[in-house]
Amino acid sequence: MSADTQGRITSWHGNPSKPTFTPPPGAVDAHCHVFGPQALFPFSPKAKYLPADAGPDMLFALRDHLGFERNVIVQASCHGTDNAATLDAIARSGGKARGVAVVDPDISKAELEKLHDGGMRGVRFNFLKRLVDNAPKDKFLEVAGRLPARWHVVIYFEADILDEMRAFIDAIPVPVVVDHMGRPDVSQGPDGPEMKAFRSLLDSRPDIWFKATCPDRLDATNDPWDDFARAVRPLVEDYQDRVLWGTDWPHPNMQSNIPDDGHLVDMIPRIAVTEDLQRKMLIDNPMRLYWS
Ligand code: 0GY
């Protein structure tokens, strides 16, 4: 990590390598963020971390460097419920980005439709206590009940609260995408209790999707993240029509072991081992969810 004189964190690799793996034409990075630029889009007073600027120009340069064609930009918690920075990035993408918003639970149907016009296709409910002050499940369900047509809910939680999340997830009336597989302990392996619990969630509804993302956050063995590859590959194979992949750039609030994004891309053929699986994870699935 490095921080500038105002304490703003740089959580991304300054010179990511060119991946060895070449993504197929049309590949989507379905989980990434933008920060600011702060002069135009100030961070929320409730932000739990203060990043340096990582705006759309940087994101799109990385997209091209890594060999992707499209991005799904997820509103980062440091911007609170003001989606202006994410909407600006989508508008600058020339149709190559869609977004996931974070909203005030009292948002109206008309405001949600405006977000749809700006390229949003989902809303994110974040349950990580280190990132948000409160996560009112009843209010979230009300929001989920008035989303524009074909939207989905993205949820972010850690494995230790999966059990208590089950009833809430059951009640969500639209498709659900789980960030980073609900952060299982990948050192337990593919048949460990946390992966088993997550599979049981996936088996409970055919419209629960997941992101096979963030070896850097989930695997304490570090790059090349062998535990992650071993635990996640069977999940991608068994649920191949509901898996998404993304870089998580600019890796919000990563304070150590900042990943080389080229190495993250090189994880793709280790968890999606055939061209067919790669096409589903990188193109067919995200296109169905975000561009159809
Ligand atoms: C992520 C992870 C994190 C942060 C955020 O919105 C956010 O600030 O998502 C995190 O700190 O785990 O993958 O997006």
Side-chain angles (χ1 to χ4, degrees):
M1 174 194 61
S2 69
D4 65 17
T5 49
Q6 289 159 290
R8 290 178 305 200
I9 298 164
T10 296
S11 53
W12 55 93
H13 197 287
N15 187 23
S17 60
K18 191 90 184 157
T20 306
F21 173 72
T22 305
V28 182
D29 174 353
H31 185 90
C32 51
H33 314 271
V34 288
F35 300 150
Q38 198 183 192
L40 296 175
F41 307 110
F43 299 120
S44 161
K46 295 182 187 161
K48 302 295 184 228
Y49 58 91
L50 280 184
D53 287 342
D57 293 346
M58 289 170 66
L59 176 65
F60 301 149
L62 182 81
R63 174 199 68 199
D64 295 346
H65 174 73
L66 298 177
F68 284 78
E69 212 156 282
R70 294 182 163 89
N71 297 107
V72 178
I73 307 174
V74 178
Q75 165 83 351
S77 64
C78 57
H79 278 296
T81 56
D82 180 349
N83 291 278
T86 304
L87 288 166
D88 172 72
I90 296 168
R92 288 170 189 274
S93 74
K96 290 182 171 183
R98 288 271 153 89
V100 174
V102 174
V103 300
D104 186 291
D106 293 324
I107 189 167
S108 69
K109 222 169 161 27
E111 285 168 303
L112 285 163
E113 291 295 344
K114 252 174 83 180
L115 290 174
H116 182 94
D117 294 343
M120 297 293 190
R121 292 295 181 268
V123 68
R124 189 190 204 200
F125 300 145
N126 189 336
F127 288 87
L128 264 65
K129 292 195 173 71
R130 66 180 168 76
L131 293 174
V132 290
D133 291 329
N134 58 348
K137 288 189 179 128
D138 49 343
K139 287 279 193 183
F140 284 166
L141 285 179
E142 285 173 28
V143 175
R146 55 176 186 274
L147 295 178
R150 299 187 53 73
W151 274 38
H152 60 275
V153 160
V154 173
I155 40 175
Y156 191 22
F157 59 88
E158 294 182 309
D160 61 332
I161 65 161
L162 174 54
D163 271 356
E164 62 189 80
M165 293 295 293
R166 290 287 297 255
F168 168 73
I169 295 171
D170 278 352
I172 295 174
V174 294
V176 175
V177 179
V178 181
D179 275 345
H180 321 328
M181 302 162 288
R183 299 186 63 121
D185 179 352
V186 293
S187 75
Q188 297 173 349
D191 303 316
E194 294 193 353
M195 266 300 181
K196 272 200 175 136
F198 188 62
R199 279 173 177 265
S200 146
L201 174 72
L202 293 176
D203 291 339
S204 71
R205 272 175 64 163
D207 60 349
I208 299 181
W209 301 50
F210 64 98
K211 296 177 188 165
T213 35
C214 286
D216 48 301
R217 293 186 193 274
L218 303 186
D219 188 343
T221 67
N222 295 326
D223 192 351
W225 309 295
D226 291 337
D227 280 357
F228 181 93
R230 196 167 70 90
V232 174
R233 174 181 160 173
L235 200 70
V236 173
E237 275 163 13
D238 292 346
Y239 300 91
Q240 50 190 268
D241 295 319
R242 332 189 214 160
V243 59
L244 305 171
W245 186 89
T247 54
D248 186 40
W249 188 89
H251 313 291
N253 205 20
M254 284 294 274
Q255 313 257 345
S256 59
N257 295 321
I258 290 169
D260 176 329
D261 300 279
H263 294 186
L264 290 173
V265 173
D266 283 332
M267 176 59 71
I268 292 171
R270 299 175 67 200
I271 57 171
V273 294
T274 65
E275 283 185 14
D276 185 48
L277 283 173
Q278 291 158 13
R279 199 197 62 246
K280 285 181 174 177
M281 184 170 81
L282 299 174
I283 305 172
D284 298 352
N285 297 347
M287 290 304 286
R288 208 158 73 242
L289 207 52
Y290 290 97
W291 271 274
S292 68

